[in-house]
Amino acid sequence: NHLIFLVQMKQVQRDLLRLIGSDEEVTTPEEEKLIASNNSVLKTFCFRKAYISFMFRSYDDAKEYVLKFYECRENAWANLMVTHVNHALYTGLISFWVARKSRDAQCWIARGNESKLTLKRWAESSPWTFENKWHLLEAE
């Protein structure tokens, strides 16, 4: 569906604008409807928000969006893409960060360990490409 691709690319565009200092958050009614009705698009939306929050060290926002990411990922499309490596890496980093600051550390450590296992499987399939990411998360 072209609308799904468009919505996801607009999310990347907004991320880039945020990284260069713009706070523009304009969404169309079509985007909002698609994000609300499609778990796979919602999962990507939540990941992007968690990622940007993590990069800006916004703990509360990173925690909020990674929680939403975990809630909707089970009902998202089951496809395997290289972007899932980044999902595993950054949700793992955010999970370990939250674990260090949270009262429910065990839950967050379990999520971080799940991300480590995912990255380990990717690293086993292509060490040259993914092993560094696994080692980074392993160091956490």
Side-chain angles (χ1 to χ4, degrees):
N1 188 333
H2 296 296
L3 185 58
I4 291 172
F5 179 77
L6 176 65
V7 167
Q8 291 179 335
M9 288 302 100
K10 285 186 75 176
Q11 289 172 2
V12 172
Q13 179 187 25
R14 278 192 292 275
D15 292 348
L16 292 172
L17 288 171
R18 176 78 199 273
L19 289 170
I20 62 171
S22 172
D23 289 333
E24 184 178 338
E25 277 290 329
V26 178
T27 57
T28 65
E30 293 84 10
E31 284 179 87
E32 291 174 0
K33 182 179 175 186
L34 185 61
I35 291 168
S37 66
N38 186 314
N39 254 3
S40 295
V41 176
L42 178 61
K43 180 183 90 169
T44 301
F45 174 81
C46 292
F47 171 76
R48 306 248 14 125
K49 290 287 197 177
Y51 172 78
I52 292 297
S53 299
F54 178 70
M55 288 296 139
F56 282 101
R57 305 307 284 170
S58 176
Y59 173 81
D60 292 332
D61 289 342
K63 182 179 178 182
E64 175 188 345
Y65 284 109
V66 84
L67 274 171
K68 290 178 181 179
F69 171 86
Y70 283 122
E71 288 171 6
C72 66
R73 75 179 172 160
E74 296 302 319
N75 297 319
W77 297 322
N79 55 4
L80 199 58
M81 300 185 312
V82 175
T83 58
H84 295 152
V85 172
N86 288 329
H87 290 181
L89 174 62
Y90 288 104
T91 58
L93 289 171
I94 293 168
S95 294
F96 287 126
W97 183 34
V98 172
R100 286 191 294 273
K101 294 181 156 216
S102 177
R103 290 188 185 130
D104 55 342
Q106 292 303 331
C107 170
W108 290 101
I109 289 170
R111 288 177 172 156
N113 286 333
E114 183 181 327
S115 292
K116 280 196 312 188
L117 182 61
T118 299
L119 282 175
K120 184 177 181 182
R121 281 185 247 143
W122 278 91
E124 289 168 351
S125 72
S126 180
W128 181 262
T129 308
F130 302 115
E131 196 170 51
N132 62 332
K133 290 171 179 47
W134 176 62
H135 286 303
L136 178 65
L137 200 53
E138 186 71 20
E140 284 292 314

